Amino acid sequence: LNTGYVSDNFSSVFYISNLHTKSDLFANAHGLEPRNVDTGLHDASDRDIQNPYQDVNHFKIINRTKIIGNKSTMEIEVGYQNNYRQEFSDYISHGSMPPVYPDYMKIPETLEREFSKNVYSVNARNSFTVGTHNFTVGLNAEHQNNNSGGWGFIIPAYTQSSAGIFAYDKVSLSENLLLHLGVRYDYGNIETEDYFDWFATAVDGNPQFLQRAFALSRTFNSPSWAIGLNYNPEKWAFRANIGQSFRMPIAKELASNGVNYHQFSYELGNANLDAEKSYQLDLGATWESGGLLVDVSPFANYFPNYIYLNPTGNYDYEYG
């Protein structure tokens, strides 16, 4: 549903959506080895959905407001999103998990994982012209509240807040030559909660509820920048850009400790990760004439600190 008010110099529009998907998962890809399968049940229809499957609902409401003045244009976007995800599977014990699902558990036996994410965001920018300079200044801010549930575990509940301010200038040096200058500063904080197994594991003969995730609070901040040139003589267009970017690690990279069935791997986060940074250089040349266009655009990225999934031969024997 879209609704709002629009005039020549002012508009304010709401965008509302609610999307629900329920999709089956191939059992082998989920790590389940089908044994003693009820073929009559499973072959009765090619459109049925049985364990394992996922059920996702995503609600979103966004307001975009635009104000056009004599010398400037203001744009503001405010939004709220809720993503509610449930992953269902037959109960399978790992490690010291009880072989039969306990009847005292309040979590449904088939609810392996549950995630609920609330996202609040605001983006604002103001564009204006001074002489040969076209300026854009603005800010972005977001707050996330993430909860997790189910009898399985991969990431703990966490909150994440981030904000950034930026300024961009497009300078007309001549009719065919443009200079682009941009600078930005980002600040972010992420806090994760403790998580203990709901079942006991024997450690040196003593049963213990093992801690899968530790409470942590990490703060990241960094400037970013970019410089670019565009030169467009007649049939040619030349461009060159260089810049530096920044990305703070997400909860999965910092605090995961469990099986990721979507990639069929056991993933362990690193709470000591630094923010990811990279430097980019890209060049381009385009020639166009008589309906023929030729474009060459080499680029290079250098990461002094790159965050990636690092495969190892290690196992979590306590988890099985």
Side-chain angles (χ1 to χ4, degrees):
L1 172 66
N2 300 342
T3 183
Y5 175 80
V6 178
S7 66
D8 291 340
N9 297 319
F10 175 81
S11 65
S12 184
V13 181
F14 286 91
Y15 301 86
I16 305 170
S17 66
N18 192 47
L19 174 67
H20 174 254
T21 61
K22 182 179 180 181
S23 54
D24 218 343
L25 300 172
F26 185 52
N28 292 90
H30 193 72
L32 302 180
E33 182 182 353
R35 296 178 179 178
N36 302 319
V37 173
D38 185 344
T39 55
L41 173 66
H42 285 271
D43 295 341
S45 169
D46 59 2
R47 300 291 297 172
D48 60 355
I49 295 178
Q50 301 179 47
N51 287 339
Y53 72 93
Q54 58 187 8
D55 193 286
V56 183
N57 198 88
H58 192 93
F59 173 77
K60 176 171 65 176
I61 178 169
I62 294 177
N63 174 266
R64 293 190 177 104
T65 297
K66 188 174 184 178
I67 305 171
I68 302 176
N70 293 331
K71 296 182 179 180
S72 66
T73 299
M74 173 68 76
E75 297 174 90
I76 302 172
E77 179 184 84
V78 179
Y80 166 75
Q81 299 181 68
N82 173 261
N83 186 275
Y84 183 61
R85 178 192 195 94
Q86 292 180 305
E87 299 179 2
F88 296 90
S89 174
D90 293 337
Y91 173 74
I92 297 179
S93 63
H94 294 280
S96 299
M97 294 170 66
V100 177
Y101 193 71
D103 56 9
Y104 61 80
M105 292 286 289
K106 296 181 180 180
I107 302 169
E109 181 177 347
T110 57
L111 181 57
E112 183 174 15
R113 287 173 182 166
E114 181 179 271
F115 305 98
S116 180
K117 172 186 285 189
N118 294 291
V119 181
Y120 308 86
S121 60
V122 58
N123 303 303
R125 63 172 59 196
N126 187 29
S127 303
F128 55 95
T129 301
V130 178
T132 60
H133 297 263
N134 293 313
F135 291 102
T136 300
V137 295
L139 64 89
N140 314 105
E142 180 182 276
H143 176 74
Q144 294 184 18
N145 180 30
N146 297 265
N147 298 299
S148 61
W151 52 261
F153 176 77
I154 186 169
I155 58 172
Y158 69 95
T159 58
Q160 177 176 312
S161 301
S162 60
I165 56 174
F166 66 89
Y168 165 69
D169 183 17
K170 182 172 70 173
V171 189
S172 299
L173 300 178
S174 68
E175 184 178 353
N176 299 321
L177 185 61
L178 292 175
L179 172 65
H180 305 268
L181 301 169
V183 64
R184 180 183 175 94
Y185 180 79
D186 284 281
Y187 176 90
N189 173 263
I190 182 169
E191 296 184 357
T192 66
E193 297 182 5
D194 289 322
Y195 181 87
F196 291 85
D197 284 339
W198 55 269
F199 54 90
T201 298
V203 179
D204 297 329
N206 299 314
Q208 297 182 16
F209 294 92
L210 298 182
Q211 189 166 2
R212 289 269 158 202
F214 295 84
L216 65 85
S217 178
R218 296 289 310 278
T219 298
F220 304 90
N221 61 90
S222 176
S224 306
W225 54 269
I227 302 173
L229 275 175
N230 285 68
Y231 180 54
N232 307 307
E234 298 182 353
K235 301 178 181 180
W236 287 91
F238 299 99
R239 57 194 181 276
N241 298 279
I242 186 172
Q244 180 255 317
S245 63
F246 156 86
R247 182 181 73 84
M248 61 182 285
I250 60 177
K252 174 185 173 182
E253 295 165 334
L254 293 169
S256 61
N257 190 358
V259 176
N260 183 345
Y261 289 107
H262 303 281
Q263 297 182 348
F264 204 59
S265 62
Y266 192 102
E267 297 183 5
L268 181 64
N270 181 354
N272 298 315
L273 288 175
D274 292 327
E276 183 175 278
K277 292 186 178 181
S278 71
Y279 296 90
Q280 305 96 31
L281 170 66
D282 64 89
L283 307 172
T286 302
W287 178 82
E288 183 176 11
S289 179
L292 177 65
L293 184 146
V294 179
D295 181 80
V296 178
S297 53
F299 69 92
N301 275 18
Y302 169 66
F303 291 82
N305 188 56
Y306 179 58
I307 299 174
Y308 61 97
L309 201 60
N310 182 25
T312 74
N314 296 329
Y315 293 88
D316 190 317
Y317 292 100
E318 292 170 340
Y319 191 71

